[in-house]
Amino acid sequence: VDAFQAWCGPCKTVVDLFRKIRNDVGNDLLHFAVAEVDSIDALEKYRGKCEPVFLFYAGGELVTVVRGVNAPLLQKTILEQL
């Protein structure tokens, strides 16, 4: 989940990376989403930050968080979580 604030919007720079990973892996367990933290109470702790935050969930539970746009780290984390 790309957790973003309304003033900056979702991180557009990683869309191509996510699309590539999805095409390469082709895994039905892999889903990408965006969430505006300003309007979701459960994500309140991510408000007021000026860096992108990517939340990784498995089985409905938060399993890891990546802060900032670090394409190699995001790819590694996605593949490890699969």
Side-chain angles (χ1 to χ4, degrees):
V1 176
D2 177 358
F4 68 94
Q5 293 183 94
W7 62 269
C8 66
C11 187
K12 294 177 183 174
T13 60
V14 297
V15 171
D16 288 337
L17 171 66
F18 290 164
R19 188 174 290 129
K20 178 188 179 316
I21 293 170
R22 175 71 184 224
N23 289 337
D24 290 349
V25 174
N27 193 324
D28 290 336
L29 296 176
L30 183 60
H31 302 280
F32 299 105
V34 294
E36 183 183 326
V37 300
D38 300 318
S39 61
I40 302 171
D41 290 339
L43 299 176
E44 182 178 11
K45 69 180 182 179
Y46 301 106
R47 295 177 190 162
K49 311 284 191 267
C50 63
E51 67 181 346
V53 176
F54 299 92
L55 310 174
F56 292 84
Y57 289 85
E61 299 291 325
L62 181 65
V63 293
T64 193
V65 175
V66 172
R67 295 180 185 277
V69 179
N70 180 334
L73 179 58
L74 284 168
Q75 182 168 356
K76 178 183 176 208
T77 304
I78 290 167
L79 297 175
E80 285 175 350
Q81 292 303 317
L82 288 175

